[in-house]
Amino acid sequence: MSILDQTLLFVIALMANLLSALSGGGAGLVQLPALIFLGLPFGVALATHKVASVALGLGATLRHLKENTLERRFTGFILITGLPGVMIGASFILQVPERAAEIALGLLTMGLGLYSVLSPGLGQAYLPRNRSRRGYLLGGVGLFLIGVLNGSLTSGTGLFCTLWLVYWFGLDYKRAVAYTLVLVGIFWNGTGALVLGVLGEIRWSWLPALIAGSLIGGYLGASLGIRHGNRWIKRAFEAVTLLVGLGLILK
């Protein structure tokens, strides 16, 4: 790639991942289409995007670790329930018709944003719930299904995880976004990238600019969320879900 193309990739990755780190997902809305527009086939673009999105998680982790907001047992629960779904989804995505899945995902993602808009108090306070055996079982099923989406589809699935943690487990937006960025960003996306890399192809020469932009954007977005709190994050979440959903439908 030329220096101009690398610079363009860096700027795109920086802006997309900054907003994603603030709202809890949605970087793929900008980053993946940019890779396709610049000449990568869908499968190669998806695998390359997944690798770069791990850098978003790393950048956000560097900032969130200072806040010490993650519970060790709950972190393990999210990993154990979500990762099998990611592996299943990533194994089948290259054989699934893309367009119908994107429209369905777009409608669902817009629904998330509208639900948050119509629920003013949602995610504004940390009110843990559903921590019984039944609550964990149903919550784990939800995380498994979101993991399948994360492994198989391209944009906005981190937003599903963020809202599920808020709705089902009673996390505030600040905590939910921290879990999403660290666990989905690093471990779920890393697993998806590994599976897609084995089954398909990763364009390694494109990754330096993408990783640099993702790392810096993830750190800056996480810093903004921590500084401004739940109301800012909620508004960013709503804006990103509506834009991601509309973008997927109109793509």
Side-chain angles (χ1 to χ4, degrees):
M1 298 187 72
S2 68
I3 295 178
L4 179 61
D5 287 337
Q6 290 280 0
T7 303
L8 179 61
L9 277 181
F10 172 79
V11 173
I12 290 171
L14 177 67
M15 299 307 298
N17 288 282
L18 188 154
L19 189 57
S20 179
L22 177 60
S23 62
L29 172 68
V30 176
Q31 191 163 278
L32 182 72
L35 298 182
I36 296 172
F37 177 76
L38 290 172
L40 291 187
F42 171 75
V44 179
L46 177 58
T48 304
H49 161 67
K50 285 290 186 183
V51 174
S53 64
V54 176
L56 161 64
L58 290 172
T61 298
L62 293 174
R63 185 64 183 87
H64 278 291
L65 284 179
K66 298 179 181 179
E67 302 298 311
N68 197 28
T69 57
L70 304 183
E71 303 171 32
R72 184 175 300 176
R73 291 180 62 185
F74 195 56
T75 297
F77 169 74
I78 295 174
L79 289 177
I80 291 171
T81 54
L83 284 178
V86 174
M87 296 177 69
I88 291 172
S91 299
F92 287 101
I93 181 55
L94 299 180
Q95 303 156 11
V96 174
E98 178 192 0
R99 190 67 191 117
E102 285 182 339
I103 292 174
L105 181 63
L107 292 172
L108 287 171
T109 305
M110 291 186 72
L112 298 183
L114 291 173
Y115 175 78
S116 183
V117 170
L118 296 173
S119 306
L122 184 70
Q124 298 305 291
Y126 180 49
L127 302 169
R129 56 177 175 267
N130 289 321
R131 301 302 176 97
S132 63
R133 181 178 298 178
R134 177 179 178 274
Y136 274 116
L137 177 61
L138 294 177
V141 170
L143 288 169
F144 172 81
L145 294 176
I146 294 168
V148 173
L149 288 177
N150 178 268
S152 60
L153 298 174
T154 56
S155 301
T157 50
L159 300 167
F160 281 72
C161 184
T162 297
L163 190 63
W164 183 246
L165 294 176
V166 170
Y167 170 77
W168 186 256
F169 290 108
L171 274 63
D172 57 25
Y173 270 105
K174 185 176 177 179
R175 282 181 172 83
V177 167
Y179 279 108
T180 297
L181 292 175
V182 175
L183 301 178
V184 175
I186 296 177
F187 296 99
W188 288 23
N189 286 341
T191 300
L194 180 63
V195 174
L196 287 167
V198 171
L199 297 177
E201 177 189 348
I202 295 170
R203 190 60 56 87
W204 296 103
S205 62
W206 291 39
L207 283 172
L210 289 172
I211 289 174
S214 298
L215 275 170
I216 297 171
Y219 187 91
L220 293 177
S223 298
L224 284 173
I226 291 168
R227 184 179 305 131
H228 293 289
N230 287 309
R231 187 161 297 279
W232 255 60
I233 298 173
K234 184 175 188 292
R235 294 294 176 243
F237 175 87
E238 291 161 358
V240 171
T241 49
L242 293 174
L243 289 172
V244 168
L246 188 61
L248 287 168
I249 293 170
L250 298 178
K251 182 179 175 183

